[in-house]
Amino acid sequence: MFIVTITYTQPIEAIEARTVEHRAWLDQHVASGLIIAAGPMVPRTGGILVVRGGGTKQELETLLKDDPFQVHGLADYTVTEFKAGKLNPALAEFA
């Protein structure tokens, strides 16, 4: 599994101008089952994605290049891969 930390690098007004596009991109990957959870940080300085396992970190980093926030240079992305040692049984299919 992966945790993606998105850190905004531009003012919130620039982020908000691309949020509809970003959410459409997220919707596509939530529908496909790739993204398990996504949402803004509190306070809103970026966002977090929880991504299912099964692919490689490099494949995910390539996919993230299509996120409108990254396309338009609005955010930095950090991908952390982890192996869930403890997992709620409801999430077993995502590991």
Side-chain angles (χ1 to χ4, degrees):
M1 297 178 80
F2 302 90
I3 300 295
V4 178
T5 305
I6 302 169
T7 305
Y8 301 150
T9 59
Q10 299 298 316
I12 195 66
E13 296 80 16
I15 299 301
E16 289 175 347
R18 298 290 179 177
T19 296
V20 170
E21 293 172 58
H22 170 71
R23 288 183 180 157
W25 181 87
L26 289 172
D27 288 344
Q28 171 188 352
H29 296 294
V30 170
S32 77
L34 178 67
I35 296 177
I36 300 166
M41 292 178 184
V42 178
R44 192 173 171 203
T45 58
I48 299 290
L49 309 178
V50 180
V51 180
R52 74 177 307 134
T56 68
K57 183 177 179 179
Q58 290 174 327
E59 290 169 336
L60 178 56
E61 289 171 337
T62 298
L63 181 92
L64 291 169
K65 290 179 182 178
D66 291 334
D67 181 347
F69 285 173
Q70 194 165 44
V71 168
H72 297 285
L74 302 176
D76 289 331
Y77 293 65
T78 302
V79 177
T80 304
E81 185 173 5
F82 74 102
K83 182 175 181 175
K86 300 288 181 187
L87 187 65
N88 184 300
L91 298 176
E93 70 178 280
F94 299 110

